Amino acid sequence: MKLSINTTGKKTSYMQKCIGIAAHFLVGLLCLMNCCVAAIPKIERWGRYEITLKGLATGNPYTDVVLKATFSNGTDRIAVNGFYDGDGVYKIRFMPAKTGVWNYVTISNSTLLKGKRGSFQCVPATGSNHGMVKVWNTYNFKYDDGKVFYPFGTTAYAWTHQGKDLEQLTLKSLKNAPFNKVRMCVFPKYYNYVTNEPEFYPYQKISSSKNNDGRVKFIWDFKKFDPAFFRHLEKRIDDLNVLGIQADVIIFHPYDKGHWGFDSMGKANDFFYIKYLIARLASFRNVWWSMANEFDYIRSKPRDAWDAYSAAVVTNDPYRHLCSIHNGSVYYDNWKSYFTHVSIQNGSPVEDFGRAVLLRDVYFKPVIYDEVCYEGNLPLRWGNLIGQQMTEAVWQGIIAGTYVTHGETIKTKGDTIFWAKGGVFKGESPARIAFLRNIMEQGPGPLKLADPWKDNQTAQTDSTYYLIYFGKQEQKEWRFSLPKKNGPPAGTKFKVDIIDTWNMTITSLSDVFETAAPNEYRIYDIHDKKVSLSGNAYMALRITQIK
Amino acid sequence: MKLSINTTGKKTSYMQKCIGIAAHFLVGLLCLMNCCVAAIPKIERWGRYEITLKGLATGNPYTDVVLKATFSNGTDRIAVNGFYDGDGVYKIRFMPAKTGVWNYVTISNSTLLKGKRGSFQCVPATGSNHGMVKVWNTYNFKYDDGKVFYPFGTTAYAWTHQGKDLEQLTLKSLKNAPFNKVRMCVFPKYYNYVTNEPEFYPYQKISSSKNNDGRVKFIWDFKKFDPAFFRHLEKRIDDLNVLGIQADVIIFHPYDKGHWGFDSMGKANDFFYIKYLIARLASFRNVWWSMANEFDYIRSKPRDAWDAYSAAVVTNDPYRHLCSIHNGSVYYDNWKSYFTHVSIQNGSPVEDFGRAVLLRDVYFKPVIYDEVCYEGNLPLRWGNLIGQQMTEAVWQGIIAGTYVTHGETIKTKGDTIFWAKGGVFKGESPARIAFLRNIMEQGPGPLKLADPWKDNQTAQTDSTYYLIYFGKQEQKEWRFSLPKKNGPPAGTKFKVDIIDTWNMTITSLSDVFETAAPNEYRIYDIHDKKVSLSGNAYMALRITQIK
């Protein structure tokens, strides 16, 4: 609005005076509005704005009350669900992705909650806030602000159900570890090595009694959540965020064995839970949705139910967090549009060369091998990789343009297994994974095989940067050789670093290598130079163009 | 219709006489109808019934005339497209899958062709007529009559464009070879090792002239087919059928290099061609549709065009022949419903253990590795497998519950390459593939890995029959050991045959092996018996329960 106000006229009529007064009033009003704008809360991009409202605590607020808000900023308009947080308190959370003033208005079937209006100002992100992680370039990930994200995940399924001391210890371990993603279950886990009762339960308990076999039988009110459980979970997700770690939140899992019954609440309760969970968590920028761990082992949910569950997650999530579904022994239809990326359980693809790439080619989505067996000493084969095997798995995935999630199942007397409860990392692979992560983050970008299906060892970002991995091969010499496919022109100069992936050393060679004209399939050095190697296993080469 | 006729009444009224006469007439009529039924043509189930009609030859009958027929038998009612066959002749072909009398009526925009009625009797199949091949049990194939079909295909892309002598020679070679499926192009091929002009062209030629570079430039009327081309193709497909060979008919391919232009006729002409081709070929029971060879190398057709092409094939095909799409270096979305099975080009999955199964797990369809490089001596890497490699590829596929197609690119002076033009097989692998096919057809059923992702060598039909393959491993001894997963109970007795897959010998051991109780993952012999092996590569074991 442009105001043209005459306050300097020599002669002023009554009308002019009136206009003058009105103008003064308007200027004052604008000042007041400016002051208000200045006073509204400031929230960073991808931060969390929370509306707290007082409403009725009678009846069942979880089922009785509908609460939403619409947030708008210019032409952007986003509707989000609110939720009941207990004690008559209702909340609506929102994560703004666009700077500027956001206004909201609430919608509710409760007169106490509806029509509430407010504003906040979204300001640029600072520090380690890079936004949400999204799919980038079909096979890879980037934060909203453009920073590349290489997932180097680990697994701590029930770490948030272990009480404050152990949970703090887990956070301390994660702070010093290379992992930037944690697979973690919402519901507590009842399985080998983790059968403890959690401090918080997701639902209000109607009763618990002992069965004839001495086991506790719980009866829950699946229509009444326990907000304390979710507040605790949220605290832990925020704790991870502070550490720069993505929370790969597992919505359902099969590890219940009839103990709590959270794996078999019935379809209506499942959908009710999904809606509540997402209303609470969607505004956490480091959340990824994992529809399930081992979806096919959850006997109460048939295969064809997962489309509807996945659709419910996507529909309720205004921000389109990353979403996947993790399998037991049978994959889901990972090509379906609910899934932003592919979360695979299968150790075989990253055990040897030529395998991991085969699944990368199928789905046209990023592939994360989220369970490839674990570094550990359990008697079971899924839990007894040695450090070298776990480390090789991560390398095999990386050079094939995929990603691999770590897990540790090392059991020592009186200590917890990180994979189950969290605690302390005792394995040999985390340091090596840190070493690899560092190489990746120093490099120019994600890798892919330069000549897929033919050369399973030579990864590249483009023709200026290669990482060649030898796995278990023990060789004394490497003849400088790159695939012609996607390769550099003749006369390109390279430096070569010898990487010992196990001993974590990088040895830079002083030689300069220069590419000859390619033959049908390969490019050699003009003098056919070779590189001497130690003959150890687990060696790699980094080949970087000299500019 | 049940007739109750009084012919023995003592007193007959005039009315009764009339009824009597009418009854005699009716009986006579029924006799006549029976005679007619006896006289109508007899066609075997899955045979071909052809209606030939005389119509107009003026204008462009390919575009001007609509012709269909509806065939009915009881509640079955199937509509099929007819086609113009030149010289004023129109045809409609139908393949009945149900015995009994089929009646038809034609529908047309031409008064000469519409409303024609007729019948034939479908009688049981005889001899080698087992019907169409269909998907069975998710990953495998069966004929309509229940006979298992193990695809052992080969490749002869342009064999039908080589003239009578060479084509007859090809048929003779195929008769003596183990291959029961041939990948073959409808359109002629212009590529390395095959640049000859065919005897027949699919379209009527408007003109041909020499370009400045000496190459012939053809101008075709893409709205007028040449029936002679298709009659010849049909003859060859029937020739294959006599040999029990499936024709994997490649509808589009990229090997044209601007020579004829059949790879870039434009969308409308492509659909016109699909409809005509399917009207002609759908009644051939041994036809499979391959949407393309190397679809992604056909530059004129963008990736997203293939859905519509595939839909057109499926829509026009009343019998739902097997249908797939074959890739170059990028897979298509093989999960889409048009495709009954997965046709993969990629040699890597069958080069070594643990790979082929990875794609089998993805799509929930049979997987045929239809191009895995070829046994040959070409300078190009896709054409220079040695016989052992080609043979191992087929074994690697089979033990992983997939199938592999052979191809031969052996060039000898003055001779044709089978992969391109057909001719004579000169390689070492066909005999070994025959040997394997025989083993499979003697066995109880298709294979799958018993303990997938963990044991990549041990295939089973069920716990009574195993095939273990050692590939390039050279070992002197094998400890009797089966996966616990899907395994037999303790006390099950087995015989063991040692198979030399290269030298094509089967040595039956006289020892009886008896399973002990399993440990966590494996089952051994109660006396921990071992099997002595030659130490050669390419050995396998057949382990059969003794009943």
Side-chain angles (χ1 to χ4, degrees):
Chain A
M1 182 166 61
K2 200 172 169 190
L3 284 173
S4 178
I5 299 167
N6 177 8
T7 54
T8 56
K10 244 178 170 174
K11 287 206 279 183
T12 52
S13 67
Y14 175 76
M15 193 62 178
Q16 280 173 323
K17 273 186 192 163
C18 285
I19 291 171
I21 291 162
H24 279 287
F25 175 77
L26 269 171
V27 168
L29 187 68
L30 284 172
C31 286
L32 195 67
M33 279 168 72
N34 273 333
C35 296
C36 287
V37 168
I40 67 172
K42 283 193 169 67
I43 302 292
E44 280 194 10
R45 271 181 98 184
W46 312 299
R48 189 157 64 244
Y49 181 71
E50 188 173 280
I51 305 167
T52 303
L53 301 169
K54 201 69 189 167
L56 290 176
T58 50
N60 182 358
Y62 296 100
T63 54
D64 300 347
V65 176
V66 175
L67 177 62
K68 290 166 191 272
T70 306
F71 288 81
S72 50
N73 175 352
T75 55
D76 285 18
R77 203 179 149 86
I78 299 169
V80 302
N81 289 325
F83 60 92
Y84 184 59
D85 200 34
D87 300 322
V89 173
Y90 293 79
K91 290 188 173 177
I92 303 166
R93 291 173 178 161
F94 179 65
M95 173 174 57
K98 186 177 158 183
T99 55
V101 175
W102 286 88
N103 300 302
Y104 69 81
V105 57
T106 65
I107 302 148
S108 179
N109 60 351
S110 160
T111 47
L112 288 172
L113 304 173
K114 75 177 171 192
K116 306 289 176 192
R117 287 172 187 274
S119 303
F120 71 91
Q121 190 175 11
C122 176
V123 298
T126 61
S128 62
N129 175 3
H130 302 287
M132 289 167 64
V133 174
K134 301 271 176 68
V135 171
W136 168 56
N137 218 353
T138 309
Y139 301 104
N140 300 291
F141 300 95
K142 256 188 181 174
Y143 287 98
D144 274 321
D145 74 351
K147 183 180 156 76
V148 178
F149 178 82
Y150 300 103
F152 285 93
T154 190
T155 313
Y157 288 130
W159 81 275
T160 63
H161 307 118
Q162 304 309 322
K164 193 177 173 188
D165 290 351
L166 185 49
E167 291 172 23
Q168 290 295 352
L169 181 63
T170 301
L171 287 165
K172 193 177 153 196
S173 300
L174 287 169
K175 189 179 178 180
N176 298 313
F179 307 115
N180 56 14
K181 177 173 91 84
V182 174
R183 285 187 63 73
M184 50 186 276
C185 300
V186 175
F187 291 135
K189 187 177 173 190
Y190 196 91
Y191 194 73
N192 302 351
Y193 312 108
V194 50
T195 54
N196 55 300
E197 293 299 329
E199 185 180 347
F200 303 102
Y201 294 103
Y203 292 97
Q204 294 179 29
K205 192 162 61 183
I206 293 170
S207 69
S208 63
S209 56
K210 289 217 169 172
N211 277 350
N212 291 342
D213 62 1
R215 280 181 61 179
V216 179
K217 170 81 185 155
F218 294 94
I219 310 273
W220 307 102
D221 186 345
F222 288 129
K223 294 283 182 261
K224 288 185 183 164
F225 298 100
D226 185 345
F229 173 93
F230 290 92
R231 282 195 289 265
H232 175 73
L233 175 65
E234 288 154 10
K235 172 75 174 68
R236 292 307 176 215
I237 292 171
D238 272 341
D239 289 339
L240 293 180
N241 192 46
V242 168
L243 301 177
I245 296 173
Q246 305 294 308
D248 202 357
V249 173
I250 297 166
I251 298 177
F252 294 106
H253 69 67
Y255 322 113
D256 199 286
K257 298 189 181 181
H259 184 67
W260 300 298
F262 301 140
D263 60 340
S264 52
M265 307 186 294
K267 219 163 176 172
N269 293 329
D270 288 342
F271 285 112
F272 189 61
Y273 154 66
I274 287 172
K275 191 175 174 186
Y276 188 74
L277 183 75
I278 291 180
R280 295 199 69 115
L281 293 190
S283 59
F284 289 66
R285 67 170 171 269
N286 63 326
V287 159
W288 299 19
W289 309 120
S290 179
M291 288 307 307
N293 218 58
E294 301 187 321
F295 82 91
D296 45 324
Y297 295 167
I298 307 179
R299 287 186 202 161
S300 64
K301 302 189 205 317
R303 184 180 174 91
D304 60 12
W306 289 98
D307 273 9
Y309 289 126
S310 306
V313 167
V314 172
T315 308
N316 279 288
D317 172 7
Y319 315 105
R320 196 59 171 112
H321 288 264
L322 292 173
C323 179
S324 66
I325 184 166
H326 170 275
N327 63 287
S329 51
V330 178
Y331 300 151
Y332 199 65
D333 306 340
N334 288 306
W335 53 79
K336 289 188 169 167
S337 61
Y338 323 115
F339 311 119
T340 52
H341 64 284
V342 181
S343 172
I344 291 284
Q345 169 170 201
N346 188 355
S348 177
V350 290
E351 250 181 32
D352 205 349
F353 290 104
R355 298 182 187 177
V357 69
L358 296 180
L359 289 189
R360 186 189 196 259
D361 292 329
V362 166
Y363 296 109
F364 307 99
K365 294 180 182 179
V367 172
I368 305 182
Y369 293 102
D370 259 324
E371 212 177 321
V372 299
C373 304
Y374 307 112
E375 180 179 2
N377 57 3
L378 302 188
L380 297 159
R381 63 190 183 184
W382 52 260
N384 61 17
L385 297 187
I386 60 171
Q388 283 88 341
Q389 289 173 305
M390 184 83 252
T391 306
E392 175 169 9
V394 182
W395 272 87
Q396 286 285 2
I398 279 285
I399 59 155
T402 64
Y403 300 96
V404 178
T405 297
H406 160 274
E408 182 174 302
T409 51
I410 298 174
K411 183 158 176 51
T412 54
K413 202 172 153 77
D415 205 351
T416 58
I417 297 178
F418 200 94
W419 153 84
K421 298 185 177 184
V424 172
F425 288 114
K426 300 176 281 277
E428 296 185 287
S429 64
R432 278 79 187 179
I433 294 168
F435 177 74
L436 171 56
R437 181 176 166 189
N438 199 37
I439 290 171
M440 287 303 293
E441 291 183 347
Q442 283 176 357
L447 297 174
K448 60 182 187 294
L449 290 172
D451 187 6
W453 307 351
K454 292 296 178 182
D455 178 341
N456 293 307
Q457 303 190 309
T458 306
Q460 66 171 181
T461 294
D462 55 30
S463 65
T464 68
Y465 182 86
Y466 291 84
L467 214 52
I468 304 179
Y469 180 61
F470 298 116
K472 289 177 280 285
Q473 285 175 21
E474 298 172 355
Q475 58 195 85
K476 285 281 192 187
E477 191 179 80
W478 176 74
R479 179 185 181 189
F480 183 94
S481 166
L482 298 174
K484 177 187 175 190
K485 203 167 188 173
N486 303 306
T492 310
K493 294 193 170 106
F494 286 95
K495 70 189 279 280
V496 173
D497 300 316
I498 300 175
I499 300 172
D500 185 325
T501 71
W502 186 250
N503 294 308
M504 296 178 282
T505 60
I506 300 180
T507 311
S508 295
L509 301 185
S510 55
D511 282 23
V512 170
F513 296 81
E514 184 179 339
T515 55
N519 71 14
E520 190 68 37
Y521 297 113
R522 304 296 298 187
I523 299 169
Y524 301 98
D525 173 77
I526 42 167
H527 303 297
D528 203 15
K529 276 190 191 167
K530 292 164 185 70
V531 170
S532 290
L533 296 171
S534 64
N536 292 340
Y538 307 118
M539 302 302 290
L541 300 171
R542 181 169 61 188
I543 297 168
T544 314
Q545 188 178 339
I546 302 165
K547 302 225 173 168
Chain B
M1 183 166 55
K2 200 175 167 190
L3 285 172
S4 178
I5 299 167
N6 176 6
T7 53
T8 55
K10 244 181 173 176
K11 285 208 282 187
T12 53
S13 67
Y14 174 75
M15 193 61 175
Q16 280 172 323
K17 273 187 191 162
C18 285
I19 291 170
I21 291 163
H24 279 290
F25 176 76
L26 269 172
V27 169
L29 187 67
L30 284 172
C31 287
L32 194 67
M33 280 170 72
N34 273 334
C35 296
C36 287
V37 168
I40 67 171
K42 283 192 169 69
I43 301 291
E44 281 194 8
R45 267 180 102 184
W46 311 300
R48 188 158 65 244
Y49 181 71
E50 187 172 280
I51 304 167
T52 302
L53 299 169
K54 202 67 192 169
L56 291 175
T58 51
N60 183 358
Y62 295 100
T63 53
D64 299 346
V65 176
V66 175
L67 176 63
K68 291 165 191 270
T70 307
F71 288 82
S72 50
N73 175 352
T75 55
D76 286 18
R77 204 179 148 85
I78 298 169
V80 303
N81 289 325
F83 60 91
Y84 184 58
D85 200 33
D87 299 323
V89 174
Y90 293 79
K91 291 188 170 177
I92 303 166
R93 291 172 177 162
F94 178 66
M95 173 174 59
K98 186 177 158 184
T99 55
V101 174
W102 285 88
N103 301 302
Y104 69 82
V105 57
T106 65
I107 301 148
S108 180
N109 60 350
S110 160
T111 47
L112 289 170
L113 303 173
K114 76 177 170 192
K116 306 290 175 191
R117 289 172 185 275
S119 302
F120 71 90
Q121 191 175 11
C122 176
V123 298
T126 61
S128 62
N129 175 2
H130 303 286
M132 286 165 66
V133 174
K134 301 271 177 69
V135 171
W136 167 56
N137 218 354
T138 309
Y139 300 104
N140 300 291
F141 299 96
K142 257 189 182 174
Y143 287 98
D144 275 320
D145 74 351
K147 183 181 157 75
V148 178
F149 177 81
Y150 300 104
F152 285 94
T154 190
T155 312
Y157 288 130
W159 81 275
T160 62
H161 307 118
Q162 304 307 323
K164 193 177 173 188
D165 291 350
L166 185 49
E167 292 172 20
Q168 290 294 352
L169 181 64
T170 301
L171 287 165
K172 193 176 152 197
S173 299
L174 288 169
K175 188 178 179 180
N176 298 313
F179 306 114
N180 56 14
K181 177 172 91 80
V182 174
R183 285 187 63 74
M184 51 187 275
C185 300
V186 174
F187 291 134
K189 188 178 172 191
Y190 196 91
Y191 195 74
N192 302 352
Y193 312 108
V194 49
T195 53
N196 56 302
E197 293 299 327
E199 186 181 346
F200 304 102
Y201 294 102
Y203 293 97
Q204 294 179 28
K205 193 162 61 183
I206 293 170
S207 69
S208 63
S209 56
K210 289 218 170 170
N211 277 351
N212 291 343
D213 62 359
R215 280 181 63 178
V216 180
K217 169 81 184 156
F218 295 95
I219 311 272
W220 307 102
D221 186 344
F222 288 129
K223 294 285 182 262
K224 288 185 182 164
F225 298 100
D226 184 346
F229 173 93
F230 291 92
R231 282 194 290 264
H232 174 73
L233 175 66
E234 288 154 11
K235 172 72 175 68
R236 292 308 175 215
I237 293 172
D238 272 341
D239 288 339
L240 293 179
N241 191 46
V242 168
L243 301 177
I245 296 173
Q246 304 295 308
D248 202 356
V249 174
I250 297 165
I251 298 177
F252 295 105
H253 69 67
Y255 320 114
D256 198 287
K257 299 191 182 181
H259 184 68
W260 300 298
F262 302 140
D263 62 339
S264 52
M265 307 187 293
K267 221 163 175 174
N269 292 329
D270 287 342
F271 285 112
F272 189 61
Y273 155 67
I274 287 172
K275 189 174 176 188
Y276 188 75
L277 182 76
I278 291 180
R280 297 199 67 116
L281 293 190
S283 60
F284 289 65
R285 68 170 170 268
N286 63 325
V287 158
W288 300 19
W289 308 120
S290 180
M291 289 307 308
N293 218 58
E294 301 186 322
F295 81 91
D296 46 324
Y297 293 167
I298 307 179
R299 287 187 200 158
S300 64
K301 302 190 206 317
R303 183 179 174 93
D304 60 12
W306 291 97
D307 274 9
Y309 289 125
S310 305
V313 168
V314 172
T315 308
N316 279 289
D317 172 6
Y319 316 105
R320 195 59 169 114
H321 288 265
L322 292 173
C323 180
S324 66
I325 184 165
H326 170 275
N327 64 285
S329 50
V330 179
Y331 300 152
Y332 200 65
D333 306 339
N334 288 305
W335 52 80
K336 289 189 169 167
S337 61
Y338 324 114
F339 310 118
T340 53
H341 64 285
V342 181
S343 172
I344 292 283
Q345 169 170 199
N346 188 355
S348 176
V350 290
E351 250 180 31
D352 205 348
F353 289 103
R355 300 182 188 178
V357 70
L358 296 181
L359 289 189
R360 186 190 198 256
D361 292 329
V362 167
Y363 296 110
F364 307 99
K365 295 180 181 179
V367 172
I368 306 183
Y369 293 103
D370 259 324
E371 211 177 322
V372 298
C373 304
Y374 307 111
E375 180 179 2
N377 57 3
L378 302 188
L380 298 160
R381 62 188 183 185
W382 52 260
N384 61 16
L385 297 186
I386 60 170
Q388 283 88 341
Q389 289 174 305
M390 183 85 251
T391 306
E392 173 168 12
V394 182
W395 272 88
Q396 286 285 2
I398 279 286
I399 61 156
T402 64
Y403 300 95
V404 177
T405 297
H406 161 274
E408 183 174 301
T409 50
I410 298 174
K411 182 156 178 51
T412 54
K413 202 173 154 72
D415 205 352
T416 58
I417 297 179
F418 200 93
W419 153 83
K421 299 184 175 183
V424 173
F425 288 115
K426 298 175 282 274
E428 295 186 288
S429 64
R432 278 78 188 180
I433 294 169
F435 177 74
L436 171 55
R437 181 177 167 187
N438 199 37
I439 289 170
M440 287 304 293
E441 291 183 347
Q442 283 176 358
L447 297 175
K448 60 182 186 294
L449 290 172
D451 186 6
W453 307 350
K454 293 295 179 184
D455 178 342
N456 293 307
Q457 302 191 308
T458 307
Q460 67 171 184
T461 295
D462 55 29
S463 66
T464 68
Y465 182 87
Y466 290 84
L467 213 53
I468 304 179
Y469 179 62
F470 298 116
K472 289 177 280 283
Q473 284 175 21
E474 298 173 354
Q475 59 193 84
K476 285 280 190 187
E477 191 179 78
W478 176 73
R479 178 186 182 189
F480 184 95
S481 165
L482 299 173
K484 177 188 176 188
K485 201 166 188 175
N486 302 306
T492 309
K493 294 193 171 108
F494 286 94
K495 70 190 278 282
V496 173
D497 300 317
I498 300 175
I499 300 172
D500 186 325
T501 70
W502 185 250
N503 294 308
M504 296 179 281
T505 60
I506 300 180
T507 311
S508 294
L509 301 184
S510 55
D511 283 25
V512 170
F513 296 81
E514 185 178 338
T515 56
N519 71 14
E520 189 68 36
Y521 297 112
R522 304 294 300 185
I523 298 169
Y524 300 98
D525 173 77
I526 42 167
H527 303 298
D528 203 15
K529 275 190 193 168
K530 292 162 184 70
V531 170
S532 290
L533 296 171
S534 63
N536 291 340
Y538 306 118
M539 302 300 291
L541 299 170
R542 181 168 60 189
I543 298 168
T544 314
Q545 188 178 339
I546 302 165
K547 303 233 171 162

